[in-house]
Amino acid sequence: MDNFASVFIDWVERFGLDAALTQFRGTFPDDQIDEWVAEYERLVEGVKIGYPPKILSAPGLKDWYPGPLPHHKRWPAFRAALTRLSDDAMDKLDESTSRIVAHTYSPDTPKYLTKGLVVGYVQSGKTTSFTGVAAKAADIGYKLVIVLSGIHNGLRRQTQERLQTELVDTAGEGAWFPLTDETKDFYEPPATFAAHQGGDRTLLIIAKKQKDVLARLLNWLTKASKTGSLANVPVLVIDDEADQASVETAKINPQIRALLKLLTRGTYIGYTATPFANVLIDPSVPDDLYPETFILNLPEPAGYFGAERIFGRDALEGEYSGPTLDGYDMVREVPDSTVAKIRPVGKGAEVGFVPTVTKELGDALRYFVLATAARRHRGDIDHSTMLVHTGMKTAIHFAYQGPLQKFFKNLAVEVESGDANALRELKSLWDAETKRVPASLFPGLSPVSFDELVDYLPDVLERVKVVVDNFRSRDRLTYSGAEPEVAVAVGGNTLSRGLTLEGLIVSFFVRSANTYDTLLQMGRWFGFRGGYEDLPRIWMTKRLKSDFRHLATVEAEIRLDIARYEQQNLSPREVGVRIRTHPVLNVTAKMGAYRIAYASYGGRRVQTRYFRENDATWLHNNRKAAVELVTTAVAEGVQVDRPAEGTVILRDVDAEQVLDFLNAYNVHEDSPDLDPRLVTAYIGKENRRAQPSLLSWNVALMGEPIVDDEHAVDFGASIRLGTIERSLIEGTGGDRADIKTLMSKDHRVVDMDITPSEARKKSEGALVDLRNASVEHADTGLLLLYPIARDSKPDPANAATRVAMDAVEHVIGMALVFPGNAEDTVRNRYVQVDTSGVDTSEYDEISEALEVDQEPEMS
């Protein structure tokens, strides 16, 4: 694929096909663009993660919900109020919320309890989704909607305000009856539950997940249950941030379960962006909160900035691995050597701590002012926020307020006085940042020069304020004033879960975490950045950046698994969602009924991507292992083919020689799929099957024609090849040099009678089938060895996100292609819930009961 094709596909995946066509038409010939469109369609052939939303659902449930009907009033009113959404976004919200409602039990079913889970993205519009579900549920007869909204007052208040504005106020008098408001959480009302019933209205409660609040709610509903007034009343419970407090807690989890036990007709839907704890709940415990009815993926909305867009991610099996997976160049590194100056290290170190405004923190603060000024130049006068999150302790947060206020005061004086050095420093920073992330990457954005924004700096500096937001602070961050906020928010947990930071541009984030869910939820920078997509920046440590990239891969893999399971008509109780593990991070603190998952290498291709570029012994041993394999194979008389200059294939190499190579080859510890113990165990099992496989291997040496002696690698047996180029992802190197992608899709069949161009036109699945259908290759493994130039340079198309390799010697990359879809499995580094003890017979009864089609009563 040429560089321009990669750039075109990158645009399609980020902004949609129409935007890409608009951008490229007129610059390139139409027939060239048509070829790129066809290439993109081939690349995405197969399982797609998009609309309609992918779902795992219990067997027997029918899509009974017809969608909004003419006489419904809450959903149409809510829809009309969402003027901020485009028509396309609104249609997708309508479709996804209808699909959620359709996979609950119909409210006229005599007795039911739906338990579902909706998986969204951090800061991606989950509140809008569950508000739409609540509107549709009320329109079809639900008389009570309870929203369990996080564990902090700020999030509960923010949710209450949203639902009051978009749900209650829009639907007209008598449609909703709120029992909570912006200032007051749930307290038992003077009137009984029965007294609130009657007419068309639906009760609405937004309650914090706190034991005293839930105790009051339980007490009120228990009284209603004992009097019979709760019987047969359809009740919807929406659990926002469903992985927080709801799972495996001594108090909150039993309270939620007790609430659901009171309901004759109940629907419980959890919403979360970090579902790790939820999908590891023990499904064999009947009254726990495992989402046994459905698990639904909310696709990434258009214009959303998530972990993948910012940090990039690894390509998944069978997926195109183009530049879109590198992420934008928005992350700036905070050296480990400076962390102690901005976050006290050690027990009790926060006492008397005074933070230093290091170069990196100073750059972040200056850039925040510059970016806010650029937004003002573009006519955007909305809220503008910076997040400073360096630790959990409140003493640290308060320690920052004075130094940050002093920094902005001094900067304001310098700008007002026209200080040449200060202005030169600001201009240099702005020019460097706008070069790394040009506005031209985003449709509709125009670049802003320093000269254009400089006049806005005094006003921004006059308005900027430093707000400490934690559970001890009195001056909390709010956006309800008459004037737009320009605020630097310093805080911890209250800013790291659910609460939306309006207009967040800059994040200075060095707080560590040891679980996936905690780390992802801290990413307040995820969300929508309409009109300033080029401006967000994050300062963090190199390790945190790597962790977030891993989490982006985990997220994508979970969603892909759900999509694949849906195609196989599997239910949540039949299969556990796999979660890829990490060498250091824990998946979640609430591991529930997890077990080590197993996965087959059958039909897969795995490849090295990490190297120790400064470890001469490590690299030399890998080269030595390759030479010994080639020399031994040729000495034993294997067939040697040269299908193209720079490519050599050794055919019918004995499995024992391949195993010897794998045991000698050094694999980086961050490549669990290539752990030699796992791979060799799998090959050994295949060799011992009743109908053995992988006894014979083809070994492909994937080099280039030799251009000079310096860039040539001797494999022994008179085989000498030129090196290939594989540059590094920017910010990596040393002990973890990362090339991301080693092999191309067509390399999967390099030892077969098909040209590379023809192979690239086929989908990954088609290439698997092609290999399995071949008598010669159906049981034959393929090992590929790549001589990588020690000084590999970036391709010009990726120069912004890549750097040159600087290894002490040429690197030997390795990939493996396995035939078939082997039934035997090997241990792989995933966890998933154990569903082996789950009794699914009840679903047979449900399925039979629902065989008779019934039209639900619509109120």
Short mmCIF file of all heavy atoms in Angstrom, two decimals, residues 144 146 148 186-189 193 205 207 210-226 230 251-263:
data_model
loop_
_atom_site.label_atom_id
_atom_site.label_comp_id
_atom_site.label_asym_id
_atom_site.label_seq_id
_atom_site.Cartn_x
_atom_site.Cartn_y
_atom_site.Cartn_z
N LEU A 144 -41.37 3.89 37.48
CA LEU A 144 -40.32 4.37 38.38
C LEU A 144 -38.98 4.18 37.70
O LEU A 144 -38.66 3.09 37.23
CB LEU A 144 -40.34 3.62 39.72
CG LEU A 144 -39.18 3.87 40.68
CD1 LEU A 144 -39.11 5.34 41.10
CD2 LEU A 144 -39.29 2.97 41.93
N ILE A 146 -34.95 4.78 38.53
CA ILE A 146 -33.94 5.09 39.55
C ILE A 146 -32.58 5.13 38.87
O ILE A 146 -32.18 4.17 38.22
CB ILE A 146 -33.93 4.03 40.66
CG1 ILE A 146 -35.29 3.93 41.34
CG2 ILE A 146 -32.84 4.33 41.68
CD1 ILE A 146 -35.43 2.72 42.27
N LEU A 148 -28.72 5.37 39.73
CA LEU A 148 -27.67 5.31 40.75
C LEU A 148 -26.44 5.98 40.16
O LEU A 148 -25.79 5.43 39.28
CB LEU A 148 -27.39 3.86 41.14
CG LEU A 148 -28.61 3.05 41.61
CD1 LEU A 148 -28.22 1.61 41.89
CD2 LEU A 148 -29.23 3.70 42.84
N PHE A 186 -31.73 11.58 47.74
CA PHE A 186 -33.01 10.95 48.10
C PHE A 186 -33.22 10.93 49.61
O PHE A 186 -32.38 10.47 50.38
CB PHE A 186 -33.09 9.53 47.57
CG PHE A 186 -34.40 8.86 47.92
CD1 PHE A 186 -35.54 9.10 47.16
CD2 PHE A 186 -34.52 8.03 49.03
CE1 PHE A 186 -36.76 8.53 47.49
CE2 PHE A 186 -35.73 7.45 49.37
CZ PHE A 186 -36.85 7.69 48.58
N TYR A 187 -34.39 11.44 50.01
CA TYR A 187 -34.91 11.28 51.37
C TYR A 187 -36.32 10.75 51.25
O TYR A 187 -37.04 11.10 50.31
CB TYR A 187 -34.90 12.61 52.13
CG TYR A 187 -33.53 12.99 52.65
CD1 TYR A 187 -32.65 13.69 51.85
CD2 TYR A 187 -33.13 12.61 53.93
CE1 TYR A 187 -31.38 14.04 52.30
CE2 TYR A 187 -31.87 12.95 54.40
CZ TYR A 187 -31.00 13.66 53.59
OH TYR A 187 -29.75 13.97 54.05
N GLU A 188 -36.72 9.93 52.18
CA GLU A 188 -38.04 9.31 52.10
C GLU A 188 -39.11 10.40 52.10
O GLU A 188 -39.20 11.20 53.03
CB GLU A 188 -38.25 8.36 53.27
CG GLU A 188 -39.52 7.55 53.15
CD GLU A 188 -39.58 6.44 54.20
OE1 GLU A 188 -38.52 6.05 54.72
OE2 GLU A 188 -40.70 5.98 54.48
N PRO A 189 -39.94 10.45 51.05
CA PRO A 189 -40.96 11.50 50.98
C PRO A 189 -42.08 11.23 52.00
O PRO A 189 -42.28 10.09 52.43
CB PRO A 189 -41.49 11.38 49.55
CG PRO A 189 -41.18 9.99 49.13
CD PRO A 189 -39.93 9.58 49.86
N PHE A 193 -45.40 5.29 48.52
CA PHE A 193 -45.20 5.00 47.10
C PHE A 193 -46.55 4.94 46.39
O PHE A 193 -46.70 5.47 45.28
CB PHE A 193 -44.46 3.67 46.95
CG PHE A 193 -44.21 3.28 45.52
CD1 PHE A 193 -43.13 3.80 44.82
CD2 PHE A 193 -45.05 2.39 44.87
CE1 PHE A 193 -42.90 3.45 43.49
CE2 PHE A 193 -44.83 2.03 43.54
CZ PHE A 193 -43.75 2.57 42.86
N ILE A 205 -35.80 9.20 40.36
CA ILE A 205 -34.91 9.34 41.51
C ILE A 205 -33.47 9.27 41.01
O ILE A 205 -33.09 8.32 40.32
CB ILE A 205 -35.15 8.22 42.56
CG1 ILE A 205 -36.57 8.33 43.13
CG2 ILE A 205 -34.10 8.27 43.66
CD1 ILE A 205 -36.96 7.14 44.00
N ALA A 207 -29.98 9.01 42.73
CA ALA A 207 -29.43 8.76 44.06
C ALA A 207 -27.95 8.41 43.98
O ALA A 207 -27.51 7.69 43.09
CB ALA A 207 -30.20 7.62 44.74
N GLN A 210 -24.35 5.60 48.01
CA GLN A 210 -23.82 5.76 49.36
C GLN A 210 -24.76 5.04 50.31
O GLN A 210 -25.98 5.06 50.12
CB GLN A 210 -23.72 7.26 49.68
CG GLN A 210 -22.90 7.62 50.89
CD GLN A 210 -23.76 7.73 52.14
OE1 GLN A 210 -24.98 7.88 52.06
NE2 GLN A 210 -23.12 7.64 53.29
N LYS A 211 -24.20 4.38 51.30
CA LYS A 211 -25.00 3.43 52.09
C LYS A 211 -26.21 4.06 52.76
O LYS A 211 -27.29 3.46 52.79
CB LYS A 211 -24.12 2.72 53.13
CG LYS A 211 -23.52 3.63 54.17
CD LYS A 211 -22.71 2.83 55.19
CE LYS A 211 -22.18 3.75 56.28
NZ LYS A 211 -21.41 2.97 57.30
N ASP A 212 -26.09 5.27 53.29
CA ASP A 212 -27.23 5.89 53.98
C ASP A 212 -28.32 6.27 52.98
O ASP A 212 -29.52 6.11 53.27
CB ASP A 212 -26.77 7.12 54.76
CG ASP A 212 -25.87 6.76 55.93
OD1 ASP A 212 -25.94 5.60 56.39
OD2 ASP A 212 -25.06 7.61 56.35
N VAL A 213 -27.91 6.77 51.82
CA VAL A 213 -28.89 7.13 50.79
C VAL A 213 -29.64 5.89 50.33
O VAL A 213 -30.88 5.88 50.24
CB VAL A 213 -28.20 7.81 49.59
CG1 VAL A 213 -29.21 8.06 48.46
CG2 VAL A 213 -27.54 9.11 50.02
N LEU A 214 -28.91 4.82 50.03
CA LEU A 214 -29.55 3.60 49.55
C LEU A 214 -30.39 2.95 50.65
O LEU A 214 -31.42 2.32 50.34
CB LEU A 214 -28.50 2.62 49.04
CG LEU A 214 -27.74 3.06 47.77
CD1 LEU A 214 -26.77 1.98 47.32
CD2 LEU A 214 -28.72 3.40 46.65
N ALA A 215 -29.98 3.11 51.90
CA ALA A 215 -30.78 2.56 53.00
C ALA A 215 -32.14 3.26 53.06
O ALA A 215 -33.18 2.62 53.28
CB ALA A 215 -30.04 2.73 54.32
N ARG A 216 -32.16 4.57 52.85
CA ARG A 216 -33.43 5.31 52.84
C ARG A 216 -34.31 4.86 51.68
O ARG A 216 -35.53 4.68 51.82
CB ARG A 216 -33.16 6.82 52.76
CG ARG A 216 -32.47 7.40 53.98
CD ARG A 216 -32.55 8.92 53.99
NE ARG A 216 -31.80 9.56 52.93
CZ ARG A 216 -30.55 9.99 53.03
NH1 ARG A 216 -29.88 9.83 54.17
NH2 ARG A 216 -29.97 10.60 52.01
N LEU A 217 -33.70 4.68 50.51
CA LEU A 217 -34.45 4.24 49.33
C LEU A 217 -35.02 2.84 49.55
O LEU A 217 -36.19 2.57 49.24
CB LEU A 217 -33.55 4.29 48.11
CG LEU A 217 -34.16 3.82 46.77
CD1 LEU A 217 -35.38 4.68 46.42
CD2 LEU A 217 -33.12 3.90 45.66
N LEU A 218 -34.20 1.95 50.09
CA LEU A 218 -34.65 0.58 50.35
C LEU A 218 -35.79 0.55 51.35
O LEU A 218 -36.76 -0.21 51.20
CB LEU A 218 -33.48 -0.26 50.88
CG LEU A 218 -32.66 -1.04 49.87
CD1 LEU A 218 -31.45 -1.67 50.54
CD2 LEU A 218 -33.51 -2.12 49.22
N ASN A 219 -35.69 1.37 52.37
CA ASN A 219 -36.72 1.40 53.39
C ASN A 219 -38.06 1.82 52.79
O ASN A 219 -39.11 1.21 53.08
CB ASN A 219 -36.31 2.36 54.51
CG ASN A 219 -37.29 2.35 55.67
OD1 ASN A 219 -37.55 1.31 56.27
ND2 ASN A 219 -37.84 3.53 56.00
N TRP A 220 -38.05 2.83 51.95
CA TRP A 220 -39.28 3.33 51.32
C TRP A 220 -39.88 2.28 50.39
O TRP A 220 -41.09 2.02 50.42
CB TRP A 220 -38.96 4.62 50.57
CG TRP A 220 -40.16 5.34 50.04
CD1 TRP A 220 -41.23 5.79 50.76
CD2 TRP A 220 -40.41 5.70 48.68
NE1 TRP A 220 -42.13 6.42 49.94
CE2 TRP A 220 -41.65 6.38 48.65
CE3 TRP A 220 -39.71 5.54 47.49
CZ2 TRP A 220 -42.21 6.88 47.48
CZ3 TRP A 220 -40.25 6.05 46.32
CH2 TRP A 220 -41.49 6.70 46.31
N LEU A 221 -39.03 1.64 49.58
CA LEU A 221 -39.54 0.64 48.64
C LEU A 221 -39.94 -0.65 49.34
O LEU A 221 -40.85 -1.37 48.88
CB LEU A 221 -38.49 0.36 47.57
CG LEU A 221 -38.21 1.52 46.60
CD1 LEU A 221 -37.11 1.14 45.61
CD2 LEU A 221 -39.47 1.93 45.84
N THR A 222 -39.29 -0.97 50.44
CA THR A 222 -39.68 -2.17 51.20
C THR A 222 -41.09 -2.00 51.75
O THR A 222 -41.91 -2.94 51.73
CB THR A 222 -38.68 -2.42 52.35
OG1 THR A 222 -37.39 -2.65 51.79
CG2 THR A 222 -39.10 -3.65 53.16
N LYS A 223 -41.40 -0.81 52.24
CA LYS A 223 -42.77 -0.55 52.71
C LYS A 223 -43.77 -0.71 51.57
O LYS A 223 -44.85 -1.29 51.75
CB LYS A 223 -42.86 0.87 53.28
CG LYS A 223 -42.09 1.10 54.56
CD LYS A 223 -42.18 2.56 54.99
CE LYS A 223 -41.36 2.83 56.23
NZ LYS A 223 -41.38 4.29 56.60
N ALA A 224 -43.39 -0.22 50.39
CA ALA A 224 -44.28 -0.34 49.23
C ALA A 224 -44.46 -1.80 48.84
O ALA A 224 -45.55 -2.22 48.43
CB ALA A 224 -43.72 0.46 48.06
N SER A 225 -43.41 -2.58 48.97
CA SER A 225 -43.49 -3.99 48.62
C SER A 225 -44.40 -4.74 49.58
O SER A 225 -45.20 -5.60 49.17
CB SER A 225 -42.08 -4.61 48.64
OG SER A 225 -42.12 -5.99 48.38
N LYS A 226 -44.30 -4.42 50.86
CA LYS A 226 -45.11 -5.11 51.87
C LYS A 226 -46.61 -4.79 51.72
O LYS A 226 -47.46 -5.63 52.01
CB LYS A 226 -44.64 -4.70 53.27
CG LYS A 226 -43.28 -5.31 53.64
CD LYS A 226 -42.85 -4.86 55.03
CE LYS A 226 -41.52 -5.50 55.40
NZ LYS A 226 -41.04 -5.06 56.76
N LEU A 230 -46.00 -1.98 45.17
CA LEU A 230 -44.89 -2.07 44.24
C LEU A 230 -45.06 -3.24 43.27
O LEU A 230 -44.41 -3.28 42.22
CB LEU A 230 -43.57 -2.21 45.01
CG LEU A 230 -42.27 -2.11 44.23
CD1 LEU A 230 -42.13 -0.76 43.54
CD2 LEU A 230 -41.07 -2.36 45.14
N LYS A 251 -21.14 -3.23 51.42
CA LYS A 251 -22.42 -2.58 51.72
C LYS A 251 -23.24 -2.29 50.47
O LYS A 251 -24.42 -2.67 50.37
CB LYS A 251 -22.16 -1.27 52.48
CG LYS A 251 -23.41 -0.63 53.06
CD LYS A 251 -24.01 -1.47 54.18
CE LYS A 251 -25.23 -0.80 54.77
NZ LYS A 251 -25.86 -1.60 55.83
N ILE A 252 -22.64 -1.61 49.48
CA ILE A 252 -23.42 -1.12 48.33
C ILE A 252 -23.94 -2.28 47.48
O ILE A 252 -25.11 -2.28 47.07
CB ILE A 252 -22.58 -0.16 47.47
CG1 ILE A 252 -22.02 0.98 48.32
CG2 ILE A 252 -23.42 0.39 46.32
CD1 ILE A 252 -23.06 1.78 49.05
N ASN A 253 -23.10 -3.24 47.18
CA ASN A 253 -23.54 -4.37 46.35
C ASN A 253 -24.74 -5.09 46.96
O ASN A 253 -25.74 -5.33 46.26
CB ASN A 253 -22.37 -5.32 46.11
CG ASN A 253 -22.78 -6.59 45.38
OD1 ASN A 253 -23.03 -7.61 45.99
ND2 ASN A 253 -22.86 -6.51 44.06
N PRO A 254 -24.72 -5.45 48.25
CA PRO A 254 -25.92 -6.08 48.84
C PRO A 254 -27.15 -5.18 48.81
O PRO A 254 -28.28 -5.68 48.66
CB PRO A 254 -25.49 -6.39 50.28
CG PRO A 254 -23.99 -6.47 50.23
CD PRO A 254 -23.59 -5.45 49.20
N GLN A 255 -26.96 -3.89 48.93
CA GLN A 255 -28.12 -2.99 48.90
C GLN A 255 -28.76 -2.96 47.52
O GLN A 255 -30.00 -2.97 47.39
CB GLN A 255 -27.69 -1.57 49.32
CG GLN A 255 -27.41 -1.42 50.81
CD GLN A 255 -26.97 -0.01 51.15
OE1 GLN A 255 -26.06 0.54 50.54
NE2 GLN A 255 -27.62 0.59 52.14
N ILE A 256 -27.95 -2.92 46.48
CA ILE A 256 -28.51 -2.93 45.12
C ILE A 256 -29.20 -4.26 44.86
O ILE A 256 -30.30 -4.31 44.27
CB ILE A 256 -27.40 -2.68 44.08
CG1 ILE A 256 -26.81 -1.28 44.26
CG2 ILE A 256 -27.95 -2.83 42.66
CD1 ILE A 256 -25.62 -0.99 43.36
N ARG A 257 -28.59 -5.36 45.28
CA ARG A 257 -29.22 -6.67 45.09
C ARG A 257 -30.54 -6.76 45.85
O ARG A 257 -31.53 -7.33 45.36
CB ARG A 257 -28.25 -7.77 45.53
CG ARG A 257 -27.05 -7.89 44.59
CD ARG A 257 -25.86 -8.59 45.22
NE ARG A 257 -26.10 -10.00 45.46
CZ ARG A 257 -25.15 -10.85 45.88
NH1 ARG A 257 -23.92 -10.40 46.08
NH2 ARG A 257 -25.43 -12.12 46.08
N ALA A 258 -30.56 -6.20 47.06
CA ALA A 258 -31.80 -6.21 47.85
C ALA A 258 -32.89 -5.39 47.17
O ALA A 258 -34.07 -5.76 47.17
CB ALA A 258 -31.53 -5.66 49.25
N LEU A 259 -32.50 -4.28 46.57
CA LEU A 259 -33.47 -3.45 45.85
C LEU A 259 -34.09 -4.24 44.70
O LEU A 259 -35.31 -4.23 44.50
CB LEU A 259 -32.76 -2.19 45.33
CG LEU A 259 -33.59 -1.07 44.72
CD1 LEU A 259 -32.81 0.24 44.74
CD2 LEU A 259 -34.02 -1.36 43.29
N LEU A 260 -33.24 -4.94 43.92
CA LEU A 260 -33.76 -5.70 42.78
C LEU A 260 -34.67 -6.84 43.22
O LEU A 260 -35.62 -7.19 42.51
CB LEU A 260 -32.59 -6.24 41.94
CG LEU A 260 -31.67 -5.19 41.31
CD1 LEU A 260 -30.57 -5.85 40.49
CD2 LEU A 260 -32.46 -4.21 40.44
N LYS A 261 -34.42 -7.41 44.38
CA LYS A 261 -35.27 -8.50 44.88
C LYS A 261 -36.69 -8.02 45.19
O LYS A 261 -37.64 -8.83 45.20
CB LYS A 261 -34.65 -9.10 46.15
CG LYS A 261 -33.51 -10.07 45.89
CD LYS A 261 -33.05 -10.69 47.20
CE LYS A 261 -31.94 -11.72 46.96
NZ LYS A 261 -31.48 -12.32 48.23
N LEU A 262 -36.85 -6.72 45.44
CA LEU A 262 -38.17 -6.19 45.74
C LEU A 262 -39.05 -6.07 44.49
O LEU A 262 -40.26 -5.90 44.60
CB LEU A 262 -38.05 -4.79 46.38
CG LEU A 262 -37.36 -4.70 47.74
CD1 LEU A 262 -37.20 -3.24 48.14
CD2 LEU A 262 -38.16 -5.47 48.80
N LEU A 263 -38.45 -6.17 43.31
CA LEU A 263 -39.17 -5.86 42.08
C LEU A 263 -39.77 -7.10 41.45
O LEU A 263 -39.10 -8.13 41.31
CB LEU A 263 -38.22 -5.18 41.08
CG LEU A 263 -37.42 -3.98 41.60
CD1 LEU A 263 -36.52 -3.43 40.51
CD2 LEU A 263 -38.35 -2.91 42.16
#
